[in-house]
Amino acid sequence: METKEDQADLFREFFDDGEFSMDKVRELSELMMRYNSAIREVRTKFEVLNDELSLKTSRNPIESIQSRVKKALSIAQKLRRLGKSVTVENISKELNDVAGVRVVCSFIDDIYRVADMLAKQDDITVVAVKDYIRKPKLNGYRSYHMIVEVPVFFSESKQIMRVEIQLRTVAMDFWASLEHQMKYKKESADRPEIAAELKSCAEVIAATDARMMAVRKRIENLEKQTEKEKN
């Protein structure tokens, strides 16, 4: 069974000199618990929206919901890249992506619809939005990013927690997952022809997403027309 001393050894290297103590380990553990709780709040909101929209549209706009809390090593590395000391206080002060939720949707318009419905909820505060669908990154990456604040209620307090949300189509998620894997292969990291091929694949996927959405709309229009003729 893991002891407090074992946990201390696990976190010791992630604190800057002078910051490590058992109290700091407890603070970090409590903060990570709060981020996990915030993720559950956001996941539940998307699950409810998916259930509601499935009744209205007879299909589920959300294919899957994934989530994660950054590992301590990743948190420490990012703070140091930003030139910030690795402290418990700086985690919540300087970082917006410790808690992350990825929502994979069926179609591009589902992304904007679900994001808009979430943003309109009165306990959600949208801090920032980056639309990499309309303005893709140079490497071809597409996704819709939101930083939101959500209240989380505990036994003796209410905490406002930040969560990063990424919304993608199935095709975008497929590309991003493979690109992430290949980006860290040493033998291909600096090969411009591979980067060009990946960007080309991203363009094909984007075009396919647009065509699939158009096909879906045509089918829906045909269904409406057929229903109208029956009546």
Side-chain angles (χ1 to χ4, degrees):
M1 182 176 179
E2 187 182 67
T3 65
K4 290 183 178 180
E5 287 72 21
D6 293 330
Q7 190 178 36
D9 288 337
L10 180 64
F11 290 118
R12 189 182 301 275
E13 64 180 292
F14 304 130
F15 288 97
D16 288 341
D17 292 342
E19 279 296 324
F20 175 80
S21 69
M22 287 306 299
D23 286 340
K24 290 296 182 181
V25 170
R26 283 190 289 271
E27 286 181 36
L28 179 59
S29 297
E30 182 177 347
L31 181 60
M32 293 302 104
M33 178 274 293
R34 291 176 179 174
Y35 278 120
N36 274 302
S37 300
I39 282 174
R40 284 196 293 272
E41 293 283 346
V42 173
R43 285 184 66 107
T44 298
K45 287 178 176 295
F46 280 118
E47 288 164 0
V48 170
L49 287 175
N50 195 38
D51 289 344
E52 179 188 355
L53 290 172
S54 69
L55 289 175
K56 291 181 177 180
T57 63
S58 299
R59 64 180 183 84
N60 290 84
I62 296 176
E63 293 285 339
S64 67
I65 304 172
Q66 304 154 27
S67 59
R68 64 98 183 99
V69 172
K70 268 187 181 294
K71 294 181 180 179
L73 179 58
S74 296
I75 290 171
Q77 288 173 337
K78 184 163 187 177
L79 283 173
R80 287 173 182 138
R81 284 199 304 271
L82 294 172
K84 306 296 181 179
S85 58
V86 182
T87 65
V88 175
E89 292 76 17
N90 276 347
I91 293 173
S92 54
K93 179 182 176 182
E94 303 291 344
L95 303 181
N96 291 327
D97 62 345
V98 175
V101 175
R102 182 177 301 155
V103 180
V104 179
C105 296
S106 303
F107 300 96
I108 295 172
D109 56 351
D110 290 332
I111 291 174
Y112 290 105
R113 186 176 188 184
V114 168
D116 184 61
M117 293 176 77
L118 179 75
K120 288 179 178 177
Q121 295 189 7
D122 59 12
D123 60 342
I124 287 286
T125 300
V126 178
V127 177
V129 169
K130 291 184 178 180
D131 189 344
Y132 295 116
I133 298 175
R134 292 194 172 104
K135 293 184 178 180
K137 291 186 178 182
L138 292 176
N139 66 349
Y141 174 86
R142 287 169 169 80
S143 188
Y144 188 87
H145 290 198
M146 305 172 72
I147 303 295
V148 304
E149 290 181 340
V150 59
V152 183
F153 293 85
F154 300 98
S155 60
E156 298 179 352
S157 66
K158 178 180 77 171
Q159 299 289 328
I160 304 300
M161 305 298 298
R162 287 195 175 187
V163 179
E164 181 192 54
I165 301 169
Q166 298 177 354
L167 297 105
R168 306 171 177 170
T169 64
V170 176
M172 291 174 195
D173 191 53
F174 168 75
W175 183 91
S177 297
L178 291 182
E179 191 270 347
H180 181 76
Q181 291 177 31
M182 291 186 282
K183 183 168 62 176
Y184 294 101
K185 300 290 184 181
K186 293 181 181 179
E187 62 272 17
S188 63
D190 298 319
R191 300 293 293 273
E193 69 273 17
I194 293 177
E197 187 68 22
L198 283 170
K199 185 172 183 179
S200 177
C201 289
E203 298 294 337
V204 171
I205 285 174
T208 302
D209 263 337
R211 291 180 66 185
M212 290 298 292
M213 186 172 67
V215 169
R216 190 207 77 215
K217 289 182 176 180
R218 287 178 61 188
I219 292 171
E220 289 173 348
N221 289 335
L222 286 171
E223 289 175 344
K224 289 178 182 178
Q225 183 178 342
T226 300
E227 188 66 26
K228 185 176 180 180
E229 291 173 352
K230 286 181 180 179
N231 297 330

